[in-house]
Amino acid sequence: MKITRTVLTLFFITLLLSASAQTWIWFPGDYENWLGNQMNNRRTERGVTIPVQWKLDGHEPLMIFTKTVDLEEPEEIEVYAEGEFIITIGWRIKYQGIKNEPLKVVVPAGKNEIKIKVLNYAKVPALFVKGKTINSDDTWITSPLDSRYATKNMKHPYSPSGYFMNAGTGNLNDPNSLPSEFKLPTKPMKYVEAKQMEGGTLFDFGIETFGFVKFHQLSGTGKLTLQYGETAEEALDAEHCETFDIVDIPAGKSDYTMPRSNALRYIFVAAENAEYDDVSLLYEYAPVEYRASFKCNDEEVNKIWEVGRYTLQLTTREVFIDGIKRDRWAWSGDAYQSYLMNYYMFFDLETTKRTMYTLRGSEPVMVHLNNILDYSFYWFMGIYDYYQYTGDVAFLKQIYPKMESLMDFVLDRRNDRGLVEGLEGDWVYIDWFDDQVDITGEVSFEQIVFCKSLETMTLCSEILGIGSEAQKYDALAKDVRSKLSDFWNEEKQAFIFNRKDGVNSDQVTKHANMFAIFYDYVSTEQKEEIKKSVILNPNIPAISTPYMRFYELEAMCSLNEQEYVLSEIKDYWGGMLKLGATTFWEKYNPEHKGLEHYTMYGRPFGKSLCHAWGASPIYLLGKYFVGVKPTKPGYQEFEIRPVLGGLEWFESSIPTPNGDIKVYADKNKIKVKASEGEGSLIFTSKKQPKTDVGTIEQIGENEFLLKINGDGQEVSVEYRAL
Amino acid sequence: MKITRTVLTLFFITLLLSASAQTWIWFPGDYENWLGNQMNNRRTERGVTIPVQWKLDGHEPLMIFTKTVDLEEPEEIEVYAEGEFIITIGWRIKYQGIKNEPLKVVVPAGKNEIKIKVLNYAKVPALFVKGKTINSDDTWITSPLDSRYATKNMKHPYSPSGYFMNAGTGNLNDPNSLPSEFKLPTKPMKYVEAKQMEGGTLFDFGIETFGFVKFHQLSGTGKLTLQYGETAEEALDAEHCETFDIVDIPAGKSDYTMPRSNALRYIFVAAENAEYDDVSLLYEYAPVEYRASFKCNDEEVNKIWEVGRYTLQLTTREVFIDGIKRDRWAWSGDAYQSYLMNYYMFFDLETTKRTMYTLRGSEPVMVHLNNILDYSFYWFMGIYDYYQYTGDVAFLKQIYPKMESLMDFVLDRRNDRGLVEGLEGDWVYIDWFDDQVDITGEVSFEQIVFCKSLETMTLCSEILGIGSEAQKYDALAKDVRSKLSDFWNEEKQAFIFNRKDGVNSDQVTKHANMFAIFYDYVSTEQKEEIKKSVILNPNIPAISTPYMRFYELEAMCSLNEQEYVLSEIKDYWGGMLKLGATTFWEKYNPEHKGLEHYTMYGRPFGKSLCHAWGASPIYLLGKYFVGVKPTKPGYQEFEIRPVLGGLEWFESSIPTPNGDIKVYADKNKIKVKASEGEGSLIFTSKKQPKTDVGTIEQIGENEFLLKINGDGQEVSVEYRAL
């Protein structure tokens, strides 16, 4: 009876979904890339707009949307499009639509191909069709080519799916809101303090934030100068504040909202022949859901988790950007970390997909992502992670041709040993280095992420059932993998930094070494050696960006060093909090003093004080303390490995595609509750643990496993933490 | 003294040119392609807009224009752009410009790189810079990439010049007229007759024409229906006229001009609650110069030449289109003939270059030009011809990367014998066939134009000094050339139509055979055999399009059969004139009767009555009767081989890049005058000829040669025509 009701309910939900499933559709990637770059190109620096510094790819201006239907009776459809459009039904039944005006046409009974061409250079051709049974969704086929001219022998880079793709969608379901008009929502926000100063007023919003400044009842004949600051010092420094605006007062007296949103905690407003009643902010934000939660006995850690969440919230915009003051761009290496943090926080898939499409752009590939060699590699790994966390094979299928063509670009540029090097014009970034490093030749770090990317290609082509591709990439990956040992220095027990003309350098940095650990590219013994000889070795240069601290601490977590990691988190991220940070920074050096903390790139306020890569504790805590991760795509199967790592207790909820996994742990008790999938709770215990549901299995010395059924039932275990 | 004056004059002209040389610049190909497709996409068919049926390529939305200058003193420049723009001078001197508003900035003294980024999705980013010494011209470098990220190892298809190209230009020299606002000029035109009919009025403009219909003092509350016709019958046939418009009368009483220009000779106007004082036309035309002239004793031939000129004039628009009623698109095979006719008529290079760029589009190549296999090949040959007629090596250099990538696309799709076949989705067109032909497998015609295209690639890479490429293409061309004999049928003395699975078909059409003649792919003996066994053989299907008659007659001209060709011209083109044609048609079958002449594609008025490929006599007369052609690029050297071919006399002027070649010939006298280059007058004479200037050399039996100096002096020869 219960089952029947569930089935019936599901049946009705399905009906409802299919009746209301129409959504805006487009050529996958084109709209996402366009939208992401609208955001990217809004960056300003000292009053000047700075478009992206890499190649900006356009979209296909003429898109053909097709759907074959077989109707029992004629059906009227309403067609909306972003662009001029022409509807052909079957052979020679043609209708013309005008840009942005819907058109109603009747599709005759019988089997017919509906073909709608949409033309738009300025914005991305998009389509919305509403009918009784005919609705625009991802079952429509999109192509810049007419299917009559579809050629089978189209070679790479458009294989395997050719250029005929299932339509892209993005939860834009209102026919009267054009996709190009997509805007993040805003809400009003008040400053907490206003100070009259010489020449103007300094407003403090109390916290790092982002939005449109609004002047209430603005009047006068002069102008306003706005100096934005992440610190009061920056807002007050006319010569050096990174962003400012000058407003010519419009005639009359009325509210005036700045046309562009900005990062700020402070604004200094200087009025020249201008008056206003008040200032406020329209806080602009991504409407993400706070799906994860985390609480523990340590208030500093709780605060770090919350500030991490807010940092990720602010840097989540149309796409995941690096920082909200600067650069306000999607960068592949930065975004890769946002994706991972997002799986342990918002589980927002649209922003993730949009960012990946924005970073990759269109065909042909002419430069590395963001011009950076390593940033191409993170992009591959990001896609596999996405699949692993979401199980969304449709997206993988859509983006696979773009993976292939990027990998072709990479493979075309290998040296004669089959390894990658930064060629002229390539930026070999890895991290900001405080000391000089030689990034030419074969850099060990780049080979490691190259190898991982090839393994990713193997996995993805296997998932899509393209055996020949999988074989090809597997062979390539094995070849690169076999050459990693060339970089190993037995004496130093470390991977050296680079190799030129067959000669290894003496230099060692942490980067290649820590990736080799959590990619499992070295033996257990080597890992322990690297930990001592590199990670914990004070003679190896310390990492000073949260960006690479992310991976350094991930490597340590993978070595079960959660206690070390927790103390580092408290020290490093806690250190920023102690300096008054309300969001985490682009770079933090505990040695710095006073205003020195805000300098970067030779500019007094060059540093971004709200930088996505600063938020890594939310990922580390979710994945390595709460211990939740999928082991089969989309959390069909998952692991929970709770580790207190020095905490007394924690309580957390981690999102899964259609539910969540709740975990409580203290030294004597673990409680878990999962609402989908099949889980394995794995934990260590000094004593034989007990449970109320299921059977605990011993799988190692002090190590136990309990199967968890994703039925929403709470499972409690009594144990004794090691 | 004379020489000194010329040199001084040239010196001042050069000065003037360099002082006024600023012009709009863009990424080469992007603007041309955009503009050509604005035209292409204005096609309508029975009230519905029909965009191109092949892939419409977009442009690069973010373009970087750079120029390095070394100034003795600071210089103010005025910068105009189509798009938002940012100017960087040297390191960190940045200015921001707003779309369509000029900005004045000062370039400091010393050596500096001026870098201007222009962003525009809707239209093509373009730039205009005006200074004392700094002016936008084709010495600026354009790229969608920042030069800091220029990589040397960029592979094909961007070699050899990478993606850093000298700017494209197009004689758009007014900073206040944006390139996107380019419009063809118009002039008013009156109808010659108006007839009141049932339901409306039929206006006859007396001749095939093109333009915007204008209603004088239009008023009312109803609507107007306009039916356009190339014939009165078409204009009067509401059900079948190919183009029509319906106008909702705007409020008030005023002149009203239709928003879109149309082909017409007749318009039938039906007014419903609408009144107007009069109707006229704004004739829209390409402002080409009539640089060639031709007169002979035969008035019918003179008329054919003039109607040919008018046909070419009407089909010359932003780009060379096929026909003005339908399709109004640039088609590569059709345009190839327009280029050739243009060299003997307008010598308009901008339209030629624009058309070649429009046809080819952007990277990557995904389909054949216009989806047609043979149309890709004509494109290669058109570029070499352009170079040969103009000597414009800068254009060749600019377009060469696009030649390379198209040829790569072709080479990727060869069969295992290294020959081309129509793959699924490819349209193997060749010509409209009245009888059924099997166009699958290895079609001999396609191998011939493929071979010629490879030879073209060899020539072009040689000209650009890319020896390795020349060698590659030469080897490929020789391989295909050696396989042409596979298609030769000794018994039939003809190339058979196609070959499948190693088996030759029995079918013979004229196409491959006539191309083999004028490409010189067969011996002199074979040519004579083919003439008898194919060209003049009544059992081989006759050609019924002017398109392929072009090449048929060219083949006959190359066999010195001008008399035959003249009688065919009079018969076939004269035949159209006798039916009242005021421009030449898409297809003409002398067997048809009455309205049957206007039918095509199963539609009563489907045939285009003004089709560029109908104008070939202007090419045949110029090249094979007047006998002028370049033998070195840009007419540095040329030949004049006057042939009366049945005419009593002719007098003609043929344009060269910076002058013209005037030729008069009758049976006893030849007079030539050339204003540039070094020429060879080659002619046959029954008696020893005499001349007043230079020395005549005998070069064969009855064949003589006289060197002509392009100094503007008339050279007269007395001879006796054979």
Side-chain angles (χ1 to χ4, degrees):
Chain A
M1 186 63 188
K2 197 186 157 205
I3 288 165
T4 312
R5 216 179 326 155
T6 310
V7 170
L8 269 178
T9 309
L10 278 172
F11 178 72
F12 284 116
I13 287 173
T14 310
L15 269 189
L16 275 168
L17 281 175
S18 70
S20 66
Q22 69 269 47
T23 190
W24 281 101
I25 59 174
W26 50 75
F27 190 63
D30 269 8
Y31 171 69
E32 294 85 346
N33 180 35
W34 179 90
L35 183 70
N37 279 306
Q38 297 299 309
M39 161 81 222
N40 277 340
N41 290 333
R42 284 200 296 268
R43 169 179 181 178
T44 64
E45 197 179 291
R46 303 236 5 110
V48 176
T49 301
I50 311 289
V52 290
Q53 71 187 30
W54 44 86
K55 184 175 178 298
L56 177 69
D57 289 347
H59 57 268
E60 296 293 343
L62 178 62
M63 190 47 52
I64 307 173
F65 299 86
T66 49
K67 174 83 182 175
T68 298
V69 296
D70 196 351
L71 299 177
E72 289 191 3
E73 52 184 30
E75 178 173 333
E76 187 183 70
I77 56 174
E78 209 169 342
V79 180
Y80 300 71
E82 177 122 42
E84 291 171 59
F85 60 103
I86 300 98
I87 309 170
T88 310
I89 300 169
W91 182 239
R92 297 189 66 80
I93 307 178
K94 292 199 180 100
Y95 303 88
Q96 180 173 358
I98 297 171
K99 208 163 168 169
N100 309 347
E101 279 182 29
L103 187 70
K104 283 184 189 174
V105 303
V106 174
V107 182
K111 193 166 180 177
N112 276 299
E113 186 190 50
I114 305 171
K115 181 188 291 183
I116 304 179
K117 295 192 183 190
V118 183
L119 176 65
N120 203 334
Y121 279 93
K123 293 156 184 180
V124 175
L127 180 74
F128 192 102
V129 177
K130 215 164 79 174
K132 198 176 137 205
T133 69
I134 305 170
N135 291 296
S136 50
D137 59 23
D138 63 8
T139 65
W140 285 60
I141 300 300
T142 55
S143 178
L145 304 176
D146 196 303
S147 54
R148 279 183 294 167
Y149 302 106
T151 127
K152 256 197 187 156
N153 288 54
M154 263 185 190
K155 285 192 68 159
H156 210 75
Y158 305 102
S159 58
S161 54
Y163 227 66
F164 293 83
M165 307 285 278
N166 281 81
T169 62
N171 273 341
L172 303 184
N173 306 325
D174 177 359
N176 295 307
S177 288
L178 297 175
S180 70
E181 288 163 5
F182 178 91
K183 291 265 182 298
L184 295 181
T186 60
K187 55 187 172 199
M189 182 175 173
K190 287 288 295 169
Y191 55 85
V192 294
E193 199 187 349
K195 257 192 226 167
Q196 296 300 322
M197 323 271 297
E198 201 190 309
T201 311
L202 180 71
F203 298 94
D204 176 6
F205 285 80
I207 193 169
E208 174 95 15
T209 186
F210 193 90
F212 302 89
V213 177
K214 181 174 171 180
F215 292 92
H216 299 253
Q217 296 297 298
L218 179 65
S219 65
T221 55
K223 61 176 187 168
L224 289 177
T225 301
L226 286 81
Q227 295 166 200
Y228 304 94
E230 291 188 311
T231 58
E233 291 85 349
E234 182 180 10
L236 293 170
D237 190 336
E239 291 300 304
H240 300 106
C241 61
E242 290 281 316
T243 52
F244 64 78
D245 274 315
I246 295 169
V247 180
D248 289 316
I249 312 294
K253 184 175 185 172
S254 63
D255 290 355
Y256 179 85
T257 303
M258 296 297 296
R260 204 184 286 234
S261 47
N262 261 288
L264 60 99
R265 171 173 169 173
Y266 298 90
I267 331 169
F268 178 73
V269 181
E272 201 183 303
N273 295 324
E275 287 184 358
Y276 52 90
D277 290 357
D278 201 2
V279 164
S280 66
L281 189 76
L282 292 175
Y283 169 60
E284 188 193 24
Y285 62 101
V288 290
E289 231 182 295
Y290 285 6
R291 292 192 53 198
S293 65
F294 180 87
K295 277 276 174 217
C296 68
N297 60 294
D298 186 324
E299 276 310 319
E300 186 177 40
V301 174
N302 290 339
K303 180 77 182 162
I304 288 169
W305 190 87
E306 279 162 23
V307 170
R309 177 176 64 188
Y310 186 53
T311 303
L312 185 62
Q313 163 79 68
L314 284 178
T315 54
T316 302
R317 314 214 67 82
E318 287 87 341
V319 289
F320 290 118
I321 58 170
D322 61 338
I324 60 172
K325 175 172 75 175
R326 205 221 80 240
D327 305 328
R328 299 175 54 160
W329 284 340
W331 289 93
S332 181
D334 307 51
Y336 180 69
Q337 299 193 345
S338 294
Y339 309 151
L340 291 174
M341 295 186 266
N342 173 56
Y343 299 128
Y344 290 92
M345 187 57 77
F346 312 136
F347 213 87
D348 176 348
L349 307 189
E350 293 310 321
T351 311
T352 309
K353 288 188 285 181
R354 274 201 296 268
T355 309
M356 293 195 284
Y357 274 128
T358 297
L359 287 165
R360 178 52 189 77
S362 323
E363 303 306 331
V365 181
M366 290 175 48
V367 286
H368 282 295
L369 271 56
N370 312 114
N371 299 322
I372 301 177
L373 177 60
D374 16 324
Y375 277 27
S376 286
F377 298 126
Y378 289 115
W379 185 81
F380 292 104
M381 304 177 226
I383 290 168
Y384 181 72
D385 289 346
Y386 174 87
Y387 172 69
Q388 188 69 359
Y389 278 91
T390 66
D392 180 357
V393 74
F395 173 72
L396 182 59
K397 208 172 149 187
Q398 268 185 340
I399 208 159
Y400 185 80
K402 288 182 191 278
M403 298 178 78
E404 258 194 314
S405 53
L406 178 59
M407 187 51 87
D408 270 358
F409 174 78
V410 170
L411 295 175
D412 272 353
R413 298 160 66 87
R414 285 171 298 169
N415 68 14
D416 52 14
R417 296 219 304 140
L419 299 184
V420 292
E421 297 188 28
L423 303 184
E424 186 178 329
D426 292 348
W427 180 4
V428 177
Y429 168 63
I430 308 174
D431 194 11
W432 296 123
F433 292 97
D434 288 327
D435 305 307
Q436 200 63 38
V437 293
D438 175 9
I439 52 155
T440 62
E442 296 171 351
V443 173
S444 57
F445 174 83
E446 300 293 346
Q447 313 316 319
I448 286 176
V449 284
F450 174 38
C451 184
K452 189 72 179 171
S453 299
L454 286 166
E455 289 171 2
T456 300
M457 286 306 292
T458 311
L459 287 169
C460 292
S461 43
E462 269 167 5
I463 293 159
L464 297 178
I466 318 164
S468 58
E469 299 269 305
Q471 274 172 25
K472 179 182 87 180
Y473 293 121
D474 184 48
L476 288 165
K478 287 195 171 115
D479 178 58
V480 176
R481 180 76 182 270
S482 73
K483 288 171 183 151
L484 295 182
S485 56
D486 296 353
F487 298 87
W488 182 253
N489 184 314
E490 193 59 31
E491 196 187 324
K492 292 178 189 282
Q493 287 292 305
F495 288 102
I496 51 82
F497 190 77
N498 66 338
R499 180 181 162 94
K500 283 165 79 173
D501 306 317
V503 180
N504 282 10
S505 77
D506 271 345
Q507 197 164 24
V508 173
T509 75
K510 293 187 177 178
H511 307 88
N513 291 285
M514 62 209 197
F515 275 67
I517 290 174
F518 60 79
Y519 283 171
D520 220 16
Y521 283 176
V522 286
S523 67
T524 309
E525 295 70 35
Q526 267 179 309
K527 287 181 188 174
E528 288 301 323
E529 284 305 326
I530 292 174
K531 183 166 81 183
K532 280 181 283 180
S533 57
V534 182
I535 312 282
L536 301 174
N537 180 352
N539 297 320
I540 301 294
I543 286 172
S544 66
T545 60
Y547 177 48
M548 278 291 144
R549 296 231 72 187
F550 182 111
Y551 301 115
E552 183 185 22
L553 298 181
E554 174 146 39
M556 291 300 278
C557 284
S558 80
L559 296 171
N560 303 313
E561 294 283 358
Q562 274 84 346
E563 283 195 37
Y564 169 85
V565 170
L566 190 73
S567 82
E568 288 293 305
I569 286 177
K570 285 170 66 67
D571 191 50
Y572 190 81
W573 280 267
M576 286 187 253
L577 293 185
K578 287 189 185 84
L579 288 167
T582 62
T583 47
F584 292 123
W585 303 352
E586 182 176 17
K587 198 163 183 288
Y588 167 56
N589 186 338
E591 310 293 314
H592 284 179
K593 301 272 173 258
L595 291 181
E596 208 183 347
H597 280 298
Y598 310 137
T599 63
M600 207 163 163
Y601 310 105
R603 283 138 56 183
F605 305 103
K607 188 178 289 166
S608 156
L609 300 188
C610 174
H611 225 67
W613 73 26
S616 57
I618 56 188
Y619 167 71
L620 296 168
L621 290 168
K623 187 166 175 193
Y624 294 104
F625 289 74
V626 186
V628 170
K629 68 171 185 191
T631 51
K632 282 209 175 162
Y635 280 92
Q636 286 166 65
E637 291 186 14
F638 56 85
E639 262 180 26
I640 310 169
R641 288 180 182 262
V643 177
L644 288 166
L647 295 170
E648 294 292 320
W649 60 266
F650 65 73
E651 184 166 26
S652 174
S653 180
I654 302 295
T656 64
N658 306 297
D660 41 43
I661 297 169
K662 293 182 192 307
V663 184
Y664 169 88
D666 62 28
K667 289 179 176 166
N668 300 308
K669 196 160 48 188
I670 300 173
K671 289 190 291 187
V672 302
K673 194 162 86 175
S675 53
E676 62 175 327
E678 300 288 327
S680 296
L681 172 67
I682 300 169
F683 58 98
T684 52
S685 177
K686 275 193 232 179
K687 66 166 197 185
Q688 179 65 36
K690 279 193 271 184
T691 181
D692 48 351
V693 182
T695 314
I696 295 172
E697 193 186 337
Q698 181 150 11
I699 56 170
E701 197 189 343
N702 299 329
E703 195 172 21
F704 300 89
L705 183 151
L706 174 62
K707 289 281 176 199
I708 304 294
N709 195 343
D711 57 1
Q713 207 186 339
E714 184 175 282
V715 177
S716 189
V717 172
E718 275 178 46
Y719 83 124
R720 177 65 50 89
L722 283 182
Chain B
M1 186 64 188
K2 195 188 156 206
I3 287 162
T4 313
R5 214 176 332 153
T6 310
V7 169
L8 269 178
T9 311
L10 278 172
F11 178 71
F12 285 116
I13 287 173
T14 310
L15 270 189
L16 277 168
L17 281 173
S18 70
S20 65
Q22 69 269 46
T23 189
W24 280 102
I25 59 175
W26 51 76
F27 191 63
D30 269 7
Y31 172 68
E32 294 85 346
N33 180 35
W34 179 90
L35 183 69
N37 279 307
Q38 297 299 310
M39 162 80 222
N40 277 341
N41 291 334
R42 284 201 296 270
R43 170 178 181 178
T44 64
E45 197 179 291
R46 301 229 15 106
V48 176
T49 301
I50 310 289
V52 290
Q53 71 187 29
W54 45 86
K55 184 176 177 299
L56 177 69
D57 288 348
H59 56 268
E60 295 292 344
L62 178 62
M63 189 49 51
I64 307 174
F65 299 85
T66 50
K67 173 83 181 175
T68 299
V69 295
D70 196 351
L71 299 177
E72 291 192 1
E73 52 184 31
E75 178 174 332
E76 186 182 72
I77 56 173
E78 210 169 340
V79 179
Y80 300 72
E82 177 122 40
E84 291 171 59
F85 61 103
I86 299 99
I87 309 171
T88 310
I89 300 169
W91 182 238
R92 297 191 65 78
I93 307 178
K94 290 199 181 103
Y95 304 89
Q96 181 174 358
I98 296 170
K99 206 164 169 170
N100 309 347
E101 279 183 28
L103 189 70
K104 283 183 188 175
V105 303
V106 173
V107 182
K111 194 166 178 177
N112 275 299
E113 187 192 50
I114 305 172
K115 183 189 290 184
I116 305 178
K117 295 192 185 190
V118 184
L119 175 66
N120 203 334
Y121 279 92
K123 292 156 187 180
V124 175
L127 181 73
F128 192 102
V129 177
K130 213 164 79 175
K132 198 176 134 205
T133 68
I134 305 170
N135 291 297
S136 50
D137 59 23
D138 63 7
T139 65
W140 286 61
I141 301 300
T142 54
S143 179
L145 304 176
D146 196 305
S147 54
R148 281 184 292 167
Y149 303 106
T151 127
K152 258 194 185 157
N153 287 54
M154 261 184 193
K155 286 191 67 159
H156 213 77
Y158 305 101
S159 59
S161 55
Y163 227 67
F164 293 83
M165 307 285 279
N166 280 81
T169 63
N171 273 341
L172 304 183
N173 306 325
D174 177 0
N176 295 307
S177 287
L178 297 174
S180 70
E181 288 163 5
F182 178 92
K183 290 267 182 297
L184 295 181
T186 60
K187 55 188 173 200
M189 182 176 172
K190 286 288 295 169
Y191 54 85
V192 294
E193 199 188 347
K195 256 192 227 168
Q196 298 299 323
M197 323 270 297
E198 199 189 310
T201 312
L202 180 71
F203 298 94
D204 176 6
F205 284 80
I207 193 169
E208 174 94 15
T209 186
F210 193 89
F212 301 89
V213 177
K214 181 174 171 180
F215 292 93
H216 299 254
Q217 295 298 298
L218 180 64
S219 65
T221 55
K223 61 177 187 166
L224 288 177
T225 301
L226 287 80
Q227 295 165 200
Y228 305 94
E230 292 188 310
T231 58
E233 290 86 350
E234 183 180 8
L236 292 170
D237 190 336
E239 290 301 304
H240 300 106
C241 61
E242 290 282 315
T243 53
F244 64 78
D245 274 315
I246 295 169
V247 181
D248 288 316
I249 313 294
K253 185 175 185 171
S254 64
D255 290 354
Y256 179 85
T257 303
M258 296 297 295
R260 203 183 286 234
S261 47
N262 261 289
L264 60 98
R265 170 173 170 173
Y266 299 89
I267 330 168
F268 178 74
V269 180
E272 202 183 304
N273 295 325
E275 286 185 1
Y276 53 90
D277 289 357
D278 201 1
V279 163
S280 67
L281 189 76
L282 292 174
Y283 169 59
E284 188 193 26
Y285 63 99
V288 290
E289 233 182 294
Y290 284 7
R291 291 192 55 198
S293 65
F294 180 88
K295 277 277 173 216
C296 69
N297 60 294
D298 187 326
E299 277 309 321
E300 185 177 39
V301 175
N302 291 340
K303 181 77 184 163
I304 288 169
W305 190 87
E306 279 161 24
V307 170
R309 178 176 64 189
Y310 186 54
T311 302
L312 185 61
Q313 163 79 69
L314 285 177
T315 53
T316 302
R317 314 214 67 82
E318 287 87 342
V319 289
F320 290 118
I321 59 170
D322 61 338
I324 60 173
K325 175 172 77 177
R326 206 221 78 242
D327 304 325
R328 300 176 55 161
W329 284 341
W331 288 94
S332 180
D334 307 51
Y336 180 69
Q337 300 193 344
S338 294
Y339 309 151
L340 291 174
M341 295 186 266
N342 172 56
Y343 299 128
Y344 289 92
M345 187 57 79
F346 312 136
F347 213 87
D348 177 349
L349 308 188
E350 294 310 320
T351 311
T352 309
K353 288 187 286 181
R354 274 200 297 268
T355 309
M356 293 194 286
Y357 274 128
T358 297
L359 286 165
R360 177 54 189 75
S362 323
E363 303 304 331
V365 181
M366 290 173 49
V367 286
H368 282 293
L369 273 56
N370 312 114
N371 300 322
I372 300 177
L373 177 59
D374 17 324
Y375 277 27
S376 286
F377 298 126
Y378 289 114
W379 185 81
F380 293 104
M381 303 177 227
I383 290 169
Y384 181 73
D385 290 345
Y386 174 88
Y387 172 69
Q388 188 69 1
Y389 277 92
T390 67
D392 181 357
V393 73
F395 174 72
L396 183 59
K397 209 171 149 189
Q398 268 185 341
I399 207 159
Y400 184 79
K402 288 182 190 275
M403 297 177 78
E404 259 194 312
S405 52
L406 178 59
M407 186 51 87
D408 271 358
F409 174 78
V410 170
L411 294 176
D412 272 353
R413 298 160 66 86
R414 284 170 300 170
N415 68 14
D416 52 14
R417 295 220 304 143
L419 299 183
V420 292
E421 297 187 28
L423 304 184
E424 187 179 328
D426 293 347
W427 181 4
V428 177
Y429 168 62
I430 310 173
D431 193 11
W432 296 123
F433 292 98
D434 288 327
D435 304 306
Q436 199 63 38
V437 294
D438 175 9
I439 51 154
T440 62
E442 297 171 351
V443 173
S444 57
F445 174 84
E446 301 292 346
Q447 313 316 319
I448 286 176
V449 285
F450 174 38
C451 185
K452 188 73 178 172
S453 301
L454 287 165
E455 290 171 1
T456 299
M457 288 304 293
T458 311
L459 287 169
C460 293
S461 42
E462 270 166 6
I463 293 159
L464 297 177
I466 319 164
S468 59
E469 298 269 305
Q471 274 171 26
K472 180 182 87 180
Y473 292 121
D474 184 49
L476 287 165
K478 287 197 170 112
D479 178 58
V480 177
R481 181 74 181 272
S482 73
K483 287 170 183 152
L484 294 182
S485 56
D486 296 353
F487 298 87
W488 182 254
N489 183 315
E490 194 59 33
E491 196 189 324
K492 291 177 189 282
Q493 285 293 304
F495 288 101
I496 50 84
F497 190 79
N498 68 338
R499 180 181 160 96
K500 283 166 78 173
D501 306 317
V503 180
N504 283 9
S505 77
D506 271 343
Q507 198 163 23
V508 174
T509 76
K510 293 186 177 180
H511 307 86
N513 291 285
M514 62 209 196
F515 275 67
I517 290 174
F518 60 80
Y519 283 169
D520 220 16
Y521 282 176
V522 286
S523 67
T524 311
E525 296 69 39
Q526 266 179 310
K527 286 180 188 175
E528 288 301 323
E529 284 304 327
I530 292 173
K531 183 166 82 182
K532 280 182 285 183
S533 59
V534 181
I535 312 282
L536 301 175
N537 180 351
N539 296 322
I540 302 294
I543 286 173
S544 66
T545 60
Y547 177 49
M548 278 290 145
R549 295 231 73 188
F550 182 112
Y551 301 115
E552 182 184 24
L553 298 181
E554 174 147 38
M556 289 301 276
C557 285
S558 79
L559 296 172
N560 303 313
E561 294 283 0
Q562 273 84 346
E563 283 195 38
Y564 169 85
V565 170
L566 190 74
S567 82
E568 287 295 304
I569 286 178
K570 285 170 66 67
D571 191 50
Y572 190 79
W573 280 268
M576 284 188 255
L577 293 185
K578 287 191 186 84
L579 289 168
T582 61
T583 48
F584 292 123
W585 303 352
E586 181 175 17
K587 198 163 183 285
Y588 166 56
N589 186 338
E591 310 294 314
H592 284 178
K593 302 271 172 259
L595 291 181
E596 207 183 348
H597 281 297
Y598 310 136
T599 62
M600 209 162 161
Y601 309 106
R603 285 134 58 183
F605 305 102
K607 187 178 290 167
S608 155
L609 300 189
C610 173
H611 225 68
W613 72 28
S616 57
I618 57 188
Y619 168 70
L620 297 168
L621 290 168
K623 188 166 175 194
Y624 295 103
F625 289 75
V626 186
V628 170
K629 69 171 183 190
T631 52
K632 283 207 173 163
Y635 279 93
Q636 288 165 64
E637 291 186 15
F638 56 86
E639 261 181 24
I640 311 169
R641 288 181 182 260
V643 177
L644 287 167
L647 294 171
E648 293 293 320
W649 59 266
F650 65 73
E651 185 166 23
S652 174
S653 181
I654 302 293
T656 65
N658 306 295
D660 42 44
I661 297 169
K662 292 182 193 305
V663 183
Y664 168 87
D666 62 27
K667 288 179 176 167
N668 301 307
K669 198 161 47 189
I670 300 172
K671 289 189 293 186
V672 302
K673 194 162 84 174
S675 53
E676 62 173 327
E678 300 287 325
S680 297
L681 172 65
I682 299 169
F683 59 98
T684 51
S685 176
K686 271 192 236 183
K687 66 166 196 184
Q688 178 64 37
K690 279 192 274 184
T691 180
D692 46 352
V693 182
T695 314
I696 294 171
E697 195 187 333
Q698 180 150 11
I699 55 169
E701 197 190 343
N702 298 329
E703 195 171 23
F704 300 90
L705 183 151
L706 174 63
K707 288 281 174 198
I708 304 294
N709 195 342
D711 57 3
Q713 207 186 339
E714 184 175 282
V715 177
S716 188
V717 171
E718 274 178 44
Y719 83 124
R720 178 65 51 87
L722 282 182

